[in-house]
Amino acid sequence: MAAPVAENNQQAGNPAQWSSRFAFIMAAVGSAVGLGNIWKFPYITGENGGGAFVLVYLACIAVIGLPLMMAEVMLGRRGGKSPIGTMTSVAASEERSKGWAGIGIMATLAAFLILSFYSVIAGWTMPYILSAVSGDFSGIAAEESGALFGGLLASPGELLLWHSIFMGLTVLVSAGGVRHGLERAVTKLMPALFVLLLILVGYAMTTGHFGEAVSFLFKPDFSALTAEAILVALGHAFFTLSLASGAMMAYGAYLKKDVPIARTSVVVAIMDTGVALLAGLAIFPIVFAHGLEPGAGPGLIFVTLPVAFGQMAGGSFFATLFFVLLLFAAWTSSISMLESLVSYLNEKGVSRVKAAVGGGLVAWLVGVTTVLSLNEWSGFTPLDMFARFEGKTLFDLYDYLTANIMMPLGALLTAVFVGWKMKPEHSAAELGGWHRLWFPIIRYLSPIALLIVFYFNLK
Ligand code: TRP
């Protein structure tokens, strides 16, 4: 027999609910698996020296990310509303200050800011699909590939076009509601992405440099590890699991009461981490085989991979497939970023269509400043007076502010709230047997780890 459903999930204006546990997993994995796994993880690993960074990242996922995901899904299901609405109502039912709604507000803002630049980067996949279809990559040399990417970044008009289309796609699905479009899409696209990554890993094994990549990813050299890198790893753990940004809270609100939150979160985190590691195993052997720099930065996937595809039999076909799936992976993520805001506005009586269009439009506008950061405004680094922000463009600053400041801070506040301000019986009612393991972690370990990170960050 199905357990009763939380009443507030049934309110007008917020009628959505996942049809099954599987649907939630696919939606959550759809949110989690995105550019962060396939684009960002490999390049930040490359920039931060490999193995030791990966180890810190895995620890961040297991010790801080996963318990926090459980906390967010738990809060979401308990509140049954948008992240702002959820934090407001859970704080009230716990007889705590209204100020705790700030967690929801900051989360919604972070997701919104991320969406603004995420859309610009996701847009890059579209000209790459076109190039792949027309065989532009076949036999391409590393320098040509670099020039192709450089040309795209140097062209504000082109970037703007793809950014606009991607934001339009995001708004389109968001306006139609979460359940049907998203549920159906992710259940097909996520397994397909997984299969394709396995094929690419298989190819990478034939380059003769697979072992080099394995030791780069898994052999820790702690002398390469900096305090800054630890912060980057933690920030990325939040980013890749879509945490401290309302996405999991919003999706948790649509979860049926009989779905086990803890076990389901473990599955989501494992799938997300698996995809990131596979992406690394697909990309680094190719990087090494071509004598390229693993620390190449953001261009890694858009410069290096085309070179590899250009030398594969059937490379145009695989490249097309790869960038199409990257686009869809980004798409299912971007929708979850808009969800915090859309569900909030929806609660306030704005129709879903208006909320999605309005939110998308403002995010698009902020995204234009990211487009310009890549070319016309590349010399505009407004916070140069602070050593920490020196040389950072607006785009760099959005990325830094969200991943390194807002998300860890939101995570800290969430851990303090569920660990110290919420009655343990209430969280136990949602988490079941796992609560005994989870509670001491979220109460002591997570806040302490987060405080240490802040100390090193602000020192
Ligand atoms: N997890 C996604 C990725 O790795 C990014 C993402 C999706 C996200 N939804 C989010 C990040 C909400 C922050 C907030 O690409």
Side-chain angles (χ1 to χ4, degrees):
M1 202 185 85
V5 151
E7 263 172 44
N8 37 12
N9 271 350
Q10 303 296 306
Q11 281 173 357
N14 195 10
Q17 204 165 57
W18 309 114
S19 59
S20 62
R21 174 175 183 241
F22 177 72
F24 170 78
I25 291 176
M26 288 297 106
V29 172
S31 170
V33 170
L35 296 170
N37 304 64
I38 298 159
W39 170 70
K40 199 172 180 186
F41 172 75
Y43 94 70
I44 59 175
T45 299
E47 283 180 335
N48 289 287
F53 176 82
V54 172
L55 211 64
V56 172
Y57 163 77
L58 291 177
C60 288
I61 292 275
V63 176
I64 307 178
L66 182 57
L68 198 75
M69 183 191 282
M70 294 176 185
E72 291 195 17
V73 176
M74 178 272 286
L75 286 169
R77 183 160 75 182
R78 206 165 167 80
K81 296 193 176 120
S82 72
I84 297 175
T86 284
M87 286 315 300
T88 307
S89 83
V90 175
S93 68
E94 299 293 327
E95 296 171 342
R96 298 295 179 178
S97 155
K98 273 194 197 126
W100 289 104
I103 291 177
I105 294 168
M106 191 165 69
T108 304
L109 276 175
F112 186 75
L113 202 53
I114 291 166
L115 175 63
S116 77
F117 66 79
Y118 200 85
S119 169
V120 175
I121 300 162
W124 299 349
T125 59
M126 290 184 265
Y128 271 74
I129 292 167
L130 296 184
S131 293
V133 170
S134 42
D136 290 356
F137 299 143
S138 61
I140 198 174
E143 304 83 65
E144 294 172 78
S145 182
L148 209 67
F149 184 57
L152 173 65
L153 296 196
S155 163
E158 225 184 308
L159 290 175
L160 201 61
L161 170 71
W162 304 118
H163 165 50
S164 308
I165 294 175
F166 185 82
M167 193 62 85
L169 289 172
T170 304
V171 167
L172 197 72
V173 175
S174 182
V178 184
R179 185 164 175 175
H180 294 292
L182 207 62
E183 230 183 83
R184 221 176 307 151
V186 293
T187 48
K188 293 186 180 73
L189 291 167
M190 288 301 131
L193 180 74
F194 212 76
V195 168
L196 202 88
L197 268 176
L198 288 178
I199 294 171
L200 288 169
V201 171
Y203 166 71
M205 284 174 169
T206 68
T207 59
H209 292 260
F210 194 71
E212 212 177 313
V214 170
S215 57
F216 181 71
L217 279 173
F218 297 109
K219 218 172 104 196
D221 169 13
F222 286 100
S223 67
L225 200 64
T226 60
E228 165 90 22
I230 295 173
L231 205 69
V232 172
L234 184 67
H236 188 64
F238 296 134
F239 184 82
T240 191
L241 294 177
S242 308
L243 297 176
S245 53
M248 292 299 161
M249 226 185 256
Y251 279 8
Y254 309 140
L255 195 58
K256 286 180 180 151
K257 277 289 175 198
D258 59 348
V259 174
I261 288 173
R263 261 197 298 141
T264 306
S265 301
V266 172
V267 172
V268 173
I270 288 176
M271 289 180 79
D272 182 72
T273 306
V275 170
L277 293 176
L278 284 173
L281 288 177
I283 291 162
F284 287 118
I286 293 163
V287 174
F288 295 135
H290 293 275
L292 300 169
E293 246 307 296
L300 191 61
I301 202 142
F302 291 97
V303 178
T304 311
L305 269 193
V307 175
F309 283 126
Q311 301 183 355
M312 285 168 78
S316 298
F317 173 74
F318 286 113
T320 306
L321 229 50
F322 178 83
F323 286 108
V324 167
L325 288 168
L326 188 55
L327 171 64
F328 282 118
W331 194 7
T332 56
S333 294
S334 65
I335 294 153
S336 76
M337 290 172 206
L338 200 49
E339 189 59 22
S340 302
L341 182 67
V342 169
S343 59
Y344 173 70
L345 293 175
N346 201 212
E347 243 159 51
K348 292 287 163 197
V350 182
S351 78
R352 238 196 118 90
V353 174
K354 278 192 188 139
V357 172
L361 212 63
V362 180
W364 175 85
L365 209 63
V366 179
V368 174
T369 66
T370 286
V371 165
L372 293 171
S373 293
L374 297 168
N375 37 69
E376 311 285 330
W377 293 1
S378 62
F380 179 51
T381 51
L383 298 183
D384 276 348
M385 58 277 209
F386 305 104
R388 183 173 308 278
F389 302 125
E390 212 182 318
K392 288 196 188 312
T393 63
L394 285 177
F395 170 35
D396 297 333
L397 290 171
Y398 301 150
D399 181 29
Y400 192 93
L401 180 67
T402 50
N404 295 8
I405 297 172
M406 291 174 92
M407 296 171 94
L409 184 60
L412 177 62
L413 293 173
T414 305
V416 168
F417 182 79
V418 299
W420 296 87
K421 302 293 173 184
M422 190 174 178
K423 288 191 187 67
E425 307 89 85
H426 292 166
S427 46
E430 298 286 340
L431 290 173
W434 283 74
H435 188 265
R436 287 177 54 191
L437 177 64
W438 170 85
F439 191 68
I441 295 178
I442 206 85
R443 185 175 165 95
Y444 299 108
L445 197 59
S446 306
I448 290 170
L450 285 161
L451 282 172
I452 290 172
V453 164
F454 270 110
Y455 172 76
F456 280 109
N457 189 16
L458 301 176
K459 192 165 78 125

